[in-house]
Amino acid sequence: MKLSVVRSDLVDSIVPKISLYANSQNKVNDADFFSNHPFHRRIENFSRNLWAPAAEGANQMTHWFYERARGQYANASAYLTPAKKKEFEVQNPRKQLIQKTDVAKVLVTTMCMPHVVSQGAQKNFKFFAENVTGQWGEEGVVFGEEWFKGIIGATIVFRTLERLVGQADWYAQGYRANTVTYSIALLLKKLRSSKRDVDFLKVWNRQAVSESLKQALLNVAEQVQARIISSAERYRVVNVTEWCKREKCWEDLLESIEIRIGPNLDKDLIDAEELEGAKKSAKREQRVLNDIEAQTYVVSKGAAYWGKLYKWANDGAVMTPSEMDFLNLAANQSSRKIPSGPQSQRIINAEKKAISEGFKG
């Protein structure tokens, strides 16, 4: 066994590289390289602490257990007593276990990129990781609690349509995955062209898909399956699954399938302007939470720690004058005066810079 001892403040940057550099001998999935990104830690935190409403006919609130690292679900109950294990399984039902690749599949589908999803879990995850990294920025305000509820709502829709397609009498064996991602993406594309969207928060609140939305999705899915099979033949692609990986397949569906949205679906939809307003409000809330977390971190480290970092930085030429000012503020904090949220964010960024330059706390 090779044992690597890594300081806790370097885990996020070092551990993925250890896996990456060892990957030529022992295959590690791309999904594992990204598991220590702050995005996954935040989603993991939501999944452990946010209770999902009880589904119709049930009285037990539950968690959607997000597995940031493989085996977390099994490990969480491995050493519990039989009674505690049963309680854990009731509160965290296995059917509500979600993995990184599940989130990637659902999110890229809602981005209306079904041809990317069809390229397989690893290629799709790479696309997803690049997208998340690009949107995260410094604070990740896009990915707050409301975003988590929405992506779980979309997951419920995805899994429901998987089940319905598998049971349909028109289903052609072997193309369910492609049919599902293309059908949801096609419906969303149509709705967004008329400035509407599926209200995934309503799905979260019900923990189920309405009958009207189920029927609408099934109607689209039947057309989608027939078209991907016939268009593969038309473009002389022998393997339908391979055809679904091409952007041309998506373009063909957009041009060839007409979707009519009846009034019976109105209660499942949300106006685009209202949705955008909700997203902006959620970003503001997440920004406030980020500031609180940053303040808590700076205060918990203590003035002595920041004083040590300030002295280390003052002896070199690593920090800018403004960064030195923020570190000085942290080093001189007291019970009556602590750095504000935005100031704490800058202090933490300065700390990260110092650690990358060799500071050892």
Side-chain angles (χ1 to χ4, degrees):
M1 179 180 70
K2 177 182 177 182
L3 179 64
S4 299
V5 180
V6 182
R7 289 205 334 258
S8 59
D9 54 3
L10 295 177
V11 166
D12 289 357
S13 60
I14 298 297
V15 171
K17 291 180 180 178
I18 293 174
S19 299
L20 180 62
Y21 298 148
N23 199 35
S24 59
Q25 296 175 341
N26 300 292
K27 177 65 177 174
V28 179
N29 291 333
D30 290 341
D32 296 321
F33 297 152
F34 189 48
S35 63
N36 287 306
H37 189 280
F39 166 85
H40 294 289
R41 295 188 180 279
R42 181 178 294 175
I43 301 309
E44 178 185 39
N45 183 58
F46 286 146
S47 79
R48 303 297 190 273
N49 297 297
L50 191 61
W51 289 97
E56 186 177 353
N59 54 17
Q60 173 68 54
M61 298 177 73
T62 57
H63 292 302
W64 280 79
F65 192 101
Y66 181 64
E67 221 177 36
R68 178 177 62 83
R70 284 179 293 178
Q72 281 185 315
Y73 183 86
N75 292 338
S77 61
Y79 304 106
L80 299 178
T81 63
K84 285 291 183 182
K85 185 172 184 178
K86 184 176 181 181
E87 180 184 357
F88 172 84
E89 290 172 348
V90 169
Q91 295 179 351
N92 302 272
R94 180 168 286 278
K95 68 179 182 178
Q96 290 177 198
L97 170 65
I98 46 174
Q99 298 174 330
K100 298 187 293 294
T101 49
D102 295 328
V103 172
K105 178 173 60 179
V106 173
L107 180 60
V108 178
T109 295
T110 61
M111 291 169 63
C112 297
M113 305 283 280
H115 54 291
V116 176
V117 177
S118 296
Q119 289 171 14
Q122 289 305 308
K123 287 185 178 179
N124 180 64
F125 190 86
K126 183 179 179 182
F127 178 88
F128 157 79
E130 290 170 352
N131 179 269
V132 168
T133 302
Q135 289 194 62
W136 185 265
E138 292 186 357
E139 301 180 48
V141 293
V142 173
F143 304 103
E145 185 176 300
E146 295 302 293
W147 181 91
F148 176 78
K149 292 178 180 178
I151 204 65
I152 296 302
T155 299
I156 294 170
V157 170
F158 202 100
R159 292 182 176 181
T160 299
L161 187 57
E162 282 183 324
R163 176 174 53 81
L164 293 173
V165 168
Q167 295 170 349
D169 54 11
W170 47 260
Y171 169 53
Q173 297 295 325
Y175 308 131
R176 186 176 71 167
N178 308 114
T179 300
V180 170
T181 184
Y182 270 97
S183 299
I184 295 173
L186 192 60
L187 179 62
L188 292 177
K189 190 76 172 178
K190 171 67 176 179
L191 289 170
R192 289 167 186 171
S193 69
S194 60
K195 300 188 181 305
R196 292 180 293 174
D197 212 322
V198 171
D199 193 340
F200 290 118
L201 283 178
K202 281 186 179 178
V203 180
W204 159 269
N205 289 329
R206 287 193 302 257
Q207 291 293 294
V209 182
S210 70
E211 290 302 319
S212 53
L213 184 53
K214 285 180 185 177
Q215 192 56 55
L217 286 165
L218 263 179
N219 290 340
V220 174
E222 184 174 7
Q223 296 179 71
V224 164
Q225 180 187 265
R227 184 63 191 183
I228 60 176
I229 294 172
S230 64
S231 61
E233 294 176 357
R234 178 184 173 191
Y235 286 95
R236 299 179 181 178
V237 181
V238 176
N239 190 315
V240 174
T241 304
E242 287 299 315
W243 168 238
C244 290
K245 297 177 182 180
R246 303 183 188 181
E247 190 171 2
K248 185 66 179 175
C249 178
W250 176 228
E251 293 170 352
D252 175 82
L253 280 176
L254 290 172
E255 293 171 0
S256 62
I257 296 182
E258 287 291 329
I259 299 176
R260 295 180 180 177
I261 307 297
N264 61 324
L265 200 61
D266 287 348
K267 65 180 182 295
D268 299 294
L269 307 180
I270 185 170
D271 181 76
E273 197 170 304
E274 183 183 350
L275 179 60
E276 189 58 34
K279 286 181 178 179
K280 288 180 179 178
S281 176
K283 286 180 183 179
R284 287 194 295 270
E285 291 177 11
Q286 188 59 47
R287 191 171 281 112
V288 170
L289 289 174
N290 289 348
D291 285 344
I292 293 172
E293 289 174 2
Q295 280 183 297
T296 302
Y297 176 83
V298 170
V299 171
S300 67
K301 281 286 188 177
Y305 170 83
W306 298 111
K308 181 180 178 182
L309 198 161
Y310 178 82
K311 183 179 183 304
W312 177 89
N314 201 40
D315 292 338
V318 176
M319 299 294 173
T320 65
S322 63
E323 288 170 334
M324 291 299 294
D325 289 341
F326 286 117
L327 289 174
N328 185 48
L329 181 65
N332 290 287
Q333 65 179 299
S334 66
S335 58
R336 294 184 178 181
K337 184 179 181 182
I338 63 173
S340 67
Q343 288 171 335
S344 296
Q345 297 276 6
R346 298 289 296 274
I347 291 165
I348 292 171
N349 288 336
E351 180 196 26
K352 290 177 181 177
K353 182 177 178 180
I355 289 172
S356 69
E357 294 290 339
F359 172 72
K360 296 178 173 59

